[in-house]
Amino acid sequence: MPLPFRSAVLMIVLAALPHAAHAQPLVSRREAVAGVAVVAGTLLLDNAFHAMVPDGGGTRWEGASSALNYGGRPQYALLLLGGTWTAGELSRRSDVADAALHVTAALAAAGVANGVLKHSIGRERPNETDDPLRFRPLNGHNQWQSFPSGHAVVVFSLASAVSEEARTPWVTALAYGGAAMVGWSRVYDDKHWASDVAGGALVGILAGRSTIRLLHRGDEDDADPPSVTVAPGVIAVRIPVR
């Protein structure tokens, strides 16, 4: 899929205020380097993992895998987030409503990054080839949209964003554990290489964590609150930065 949001064009509008350049980085260099190292290491193991999966995907855990795949579909995440925002507004829990908006912004940012990377890199899916190093950049066909895994981007952006908002160990463990299971299902179904999932996890975590930290930074500096505008075919997220 060209973008995780198949029927929507996602736009992120960053309103940068004067002294944003002096702010601390949203993601540390150590975190970024560690993530890239994990993806590179997984790339070396792609053939080994692929050899464990039957052509077309495994069947023993097919039911569980199919169910987990729903967790990586952004439309369901948006429904859940919309319901959470509505519940927060109706119960006058502004913290809950704001958290739902923050996580939605993180999901949108991750979706844009995923779409750009998929189209730019053009990696062939494992159910089409046994060679993990076949690429055709700028090819819009689904066959060449393997890296990164869109499902992994969705679930790990949600996990990282929810973790940043909740700051509770059991929430973090549950969120990342669930995201890892969705990532496993994509390899088990022979839809993605293992490094596609690792790459999707990296993109999702960086996008989710950076967006939430950026939004919280804006709140601390008394910036205008973030806003989400929904129109036919468009989800526009405005994130003020100070």
Side-chain angles (χ1 to χ4, degrees):
M1 53 186 174
L3 288 172
F5 301 88
R6 300 187 184 192
S7 61
V9 176
L10 303 180
M11 299 188 303
I12 306 300
V13 181
L14 300 179
L17 299 180
H19 45 281
H22 302 291
Q24 293 296 315
L26 297 172
V27 177
S28 72
R29 181 179 300 178
R30 180 180 298 179
E31 290 173 325
V33 170
V36 172
V38 169
V39 175
T42 310
L43 181 63
L44 298 176
L45 298 173
D46 273 335
N47 280 323
F49 282 116
H50 184 55
M52 299 178 187
V53 179
D55 289 341
T59 57
R60 183 177 181 181
W61 302 103
E62 186 175 2
S65 178
S66 297
L68 285 165
N69 271 301
Y70 286 101
R73 297 181 182 179
Q75 58 267 40
Y76 296 113
L78 287 172
L79 285 174
L80 180 59
L81 289 167
T84 302
W85 178 84
T86 301
E89 287 291 309
L90 292 176
S91 62
R92 297 185 180 180
R93 287 288 304 276
S94 60
D95 57 331
V96 173
D98 288 346
L101 280 180
H102 290 177
V103 176
T104 300
L107 180 62
V112 172
N114 175 61
V116 171
L117 288 171
K118 273 185 177 293
H119 188 70
S120 300
I121 294 173
R123 188 186 198 185
E124 192 169 24
R125 293 184 182 274
N127 57 359
E128 300 284 351
T129 181
D130 289 328
D131 182 3
L133 298 179
R134 281 175 57 85
F135 296 90
R136 189 170 293 175
L138 305 180
N139 190 299
H141 195 280
N142 185 57
Q143 174 183 345
W144 300 93
Q145 303 264 308
S146 192
F147 185 92
S149 162
H151 281 64
V153 170
V154 168
V155 292
F156 278 96
S157 67
L158 291 172
S160 60
V162 169
S163 176
E164 287 288 321
E165 286 290 332
R167 295 189 176 276
T168 304
W170 72 265
V171 173
T172 297
L174 187 63
Y176 278 105
M181 291 300 294
V182 173
W184 162 82
S185 75
R186 300 306 286 163
V187 176
Y188 185 76
D189 287 345
D190 203 25
K191 300 296 185 182
H192 285 286
W193 304 97
S195 58
D196 295 338
V197 172
L202 177 62
V203 172
I205 291 171
L206 292 180
R209 187 175 297 179
S210 297
T211 301
I212 298 301
R213 291 178 180 178
L214 185 152
L215 289 169
H216 284 196
R217 179 186 296 170
D219 291 342
E220 292 170 359
D221 290 340
D222 295 322
D224 293 335
S227 61
V228 179
T229 303
V230 180
V234 176
I235 299 175
V237 182
R238 180 179 181 277
I239 306 173
V241 185
R242 194 177 180 108

